[in-house]
Amino acid sequence: MKLQPDRSTAPTITGHGPGWVAVNGERIAHSVVIASGGQRIAWECRSFDELAEAHFGLLAQLQVEVVIFGSGARIRFPRPAWLKPLMARRIGIETMDTAAACRTYNILAQEGRDVAAALLLEAAP
């Protein structure tokens, strides 16, 4: 049996740190949504406290099978009311800190899954 690495055209998160991620080598210093289909959308929220249902409504429009929500430096779960748009479209959501979300997105995207990472990047205090 010969094993070959998967080849994917999905955007890859190539680095991350406090307040930034790099997608295909390009550094981004604001909250962002990255989808395995190639979409990259500025996510207009600077802190967890700014999140609302509309932010998750944007995610529901991506038509992916699962959203990986990176909630910042620590795990913070979205309010159930915020998830209504995703539930209406039967899109799963997993919450983890942003560093873990970056790693998980890369694994799923490289497997060919329809996945999006919604990454909350808060500015350092």
Side-chain angles (χ1 to χ4, degrees):
M1 175 188 306
K2 185 175 181 182
L3 300 176
Q4 296 290 329
D6 291 336
R7 303 247 189 258
S8 173
T9 59
T12 301
I13 299 171
T14 53
H16 59 80
W20 67 275
V21 295
V23 178
N24 294 338
E26 180 185 343
R27 191 173 170 130
I28 300 168
H30 56 79
S31 296
V32 65
V33 177
I34 303 155
S36 58
Q39 306 93 320
R40 186 168 76 188
I41 304 163
W43 208 30
E44 302 297 328
C45 52
R46 294 178 303 235
S47 71
F48 187 83
D49 294 332
E50 288 184 14
L51 288 171
E53 185 175 334
H55 291 99
F56 292 86
L58 173 71
L59 303 177
Q61 295 173 16
L62 294 174
Q63 300 179 0
V64 295
E65 54 185 278
V66 66
V67 171
I68 308 300
F69 170 49
S71 61
R74 62 186 176 92
I75 297 174
R76 292 171 287 184
F77 292 93
R79 294 185 182 126
W82 297 349
L83 305 180
K84 288 179 187 175
L86 293 168
M87 291 187 301
R89 293 197 180 208
R90 302 181 60 85
I91 296 172
I93 184 164
E94 293 290 333
T95 300
M96 52 196 73
D97 64 59
T98 296
C102 290
R103 295 186 300 269
T104 302
Y105 163 82
N106 278 346
I107 291 167
L108 294 176
Q110 294 304 310
E111 288 178 351
R113 303 275 304 272
D114 288 327
V115 61
L119 305 174
L120 180 62
L121 300 174
E122 297 176 300

